[in-house]
PDB file of all heavy atoms in Angstrom:
ATOM      1  N   SER A  80      60.172 118.436 -44.048  1.00  0.00           N
ATOM      2  CA  SER A  80      61.616 118.347 -44.222  1.00  0.00           C
ATOM      3  C   SER A  80      62.161 119.612 -44.871  1.00  0.00           C
ATOM      4  O   SER A  80      61.563 120.175 -45.791  1.00  0.00           O
ATOM      5  CB  SER A  80      61.962 117.136 -45.092  1.00  0.00           C
ATOM      6  OG  SER A  80      63.332 117.141 -45.447  1.00  0.00           O
ATOM      7  N   SER A 181      56.761 103.956 -32.591  1.00  0.00           N
ATOM      8  CA  SER A 181      55.359 103.900 -32.182  1.00  0.00           C
ATOM      9  C   SER A 181      55.188 102.983 -30.984  1.00  0.00           C
ATOM     10  O   SER A 181      55.778 101.895 -30.939  1.00  0.00           O
ATOM     11  CB  SER A 181      54.502 103.409 -33.347  1.00  0.00           C
ATOM     12  OG  SER A 181      53.133 103.448 -33.026  1.00  0.00           O
ATOM     13  N   TYR A 225      53.942 104.602 -22.605  1.00  0.00           N
ATOM     14  CA  TYR A 225      54.961 104.217 -23.589  1.00  0.00           C
ATOM     15  C   TYR A 225      56.297 103.987 -22.898  1.00  0.00           C
ATOM     16  O   TYR A 225      56.955 102.955 -23.113  1.00  0.00           O
ATOM     17  CB  TYR A 225      55.072 105.313 -24.638  1.00  0.00           C
ATOM     18  CG  TYR A 225      55.897 104.991 -25.861  1.00  0.00           C
ATOM     19  CD1 TYR A 225      56.419 103.724 -26.111  1.00  0.00           C
ATOM     20  CD2 TYR A 225      56.152 105.983 -26.816  1.00  0.00           C
ATOM     21  CE1 TYR A 225      57.159 103.450 -27.247  1.00  0.00           C
ATOM     22  CE2 TYR A 225      56.892 105.723 -27.961  1.00  0.00           C
ATOM     23  CZ  TYR A 225      57.397 104.457 -28.169  1.00  0.00           C
ATOM     24  OH  TYR A 225      58.132 104.185 -29.293  1.00  0.00           O
ATOM     25  N   ALA A 226      56.697 104.927 -22.063  1.00  0.00           N
ATOM     26  CA  ALA A 226      57.967 104.788 -21.349  1.00  0.00           C
ATOM     27  C   ALA A 226      57.959 103.543 -20.464  1.00  0.00           C
ATOM     28  O   ALA A 226      58.962 102.827 -20.362  1.00  0.00           O
ATOM     29  CB  ALA A 226      58.232 106.041 -20.516  1.00  0.00           C
ATOM     30  N   ASP A 234      62.787  90.447 -25.247  1.00  0.00           N
ATOM     31  CA  ASP A 234      63.772  89.488 -25.745  1.00  0.00           C
ATOM     32  C   ASP A 234      63.289  88.893 -27.068  1.00  0.00           C
ATOM     33  O   ASP A 234      62.678  87.821 -27.096  1.00  0.00           O
ATOM     34  CB  ASP A 234      64.000  88.387 -24.702  1.00  0.00           C
ATOM     35  CG  ASP A 234      65.056  87.379 -25.140  1.00  0.00           C
ATOM     36  OD1 ASP A 234      65.776  87.659 -26.129  1.00  0.00           O
ATOM     37  OD2 ASP A 234      65.164  86.310 -24.504  1.00  0.00           O
ATOM     38  N   GLY A 253      54.952  72.428 -48.572  1.00  0.00           N
ATOM     39  CA  GLY A 253      54.752  72.927 -49.925  1.00  0.00           C
ATOM     40  C   GLY A 253      54.634  74.424 -50.033  1.00  0.00           C
ATOM     41  O   GLY A 253      54.310  74.945 -51.104  1.00  0.00           O
ATOM     42  N   ARG A 263      66.170  88.684 -41.315  1.00  0.00           N
ATOM     43  CA  ARG A 263      64.787  89.109 -41.110  1.00  0.00           C
ATOM     44  C   ARG A 263      64.519  89.366 -39.635  1.00  0.00           C
ATOM     45  O   ARG A 263      65.219  88.868 -38.766  1.00  0.00           O
ATOM     46  CB  ARG A 263      63.811  88.023 -41.624  1.00  0.00           C
ATOM     47  CG  ARG A 263      63.765  87.885 -43.128  1.00  0.00           C
ATOM     48  CD  ARG A 263      62.818  86.771 -43.540  1.00  0.00           C
ATOM     49  NE  ARG A 263      63.355  85.454 -43.220  1.00  0.00           N
ATOM     50  CZ  ARG A 263      62.616  84.416 -42.833  1.00  0.00           C
ATOM     51  NH1 ARG A 263      61.305  84.546 -42.688  1.00  0.00           N
ATOM     52  NH2 ARG A 263      63.180  83.259 -42.586  1.00  0.00           N
ATOM     53  N   HIS A 306      52.670  96.100 -52.799  1.00  0.00           N
ATOM     54  CA  HIS A 306      53.717  96.817 -53.536  1.00  0.00           C
ATOM     55  C   HIS A 306      55.101  96.356 -53.093  1.00  0.00           C
ATOM     56  O   HIS A 306      56.073  96.460 -53.843  1.00  0.00           O
ATOM     57  CB  HIS A 306      53.571  98.340 -53.335  1.00  0.00           C
ATOM     58  CG  HIS A 306      53.935  98.813 -51.967  1.00  0.00           C
ATOM     59  ND1 HIS A 306      53.044  98.848 -50.918  1.00  0.00           N
ATOM     60  CD2 HIS A 306      55.116  99.272 -51.456  1.00  0.00           C
ATOM     61  CE1 HIS A 306      53.642  99.313 -49.839  1.00  0.00           C
ATOM     62  NE2 HIS A 306      54.899  99.570 -50.135  1.00  0.00           N
ATOM     63  N   VAL A 307      55.199  95.832 -51.877  1.00  0.00           N
ATOM     64  CA  VAL A 307      56.471  95.317 -51.375  1.00  0.00           C
ATOM     65  C   VAL A 307      56.886  94.086 -52.177  1.00  0.00           C
ATOM     66  O   VAL A 307      58.013  93.995 -52.674  1.00  0.00           O
ATOM     67  CB  VAL A 307      56.367  94.978 -49.877  1.00  0.00           C
ATOM     68  CG1 VAL A 307      57.630  94.254 -49.395  1.00  0.00           C
ATOM     69  CG2 VAL A 307      56.144  96.247 -49.058  1.00  0.00           C
TER      70      VAL A 307
END
Side-chain angles (χ1 to χ4, degrees):
S80 171
S181 185
Y225 190 7
D234 182 13
R263 289 178 289 145
H306 71 273
V307 172

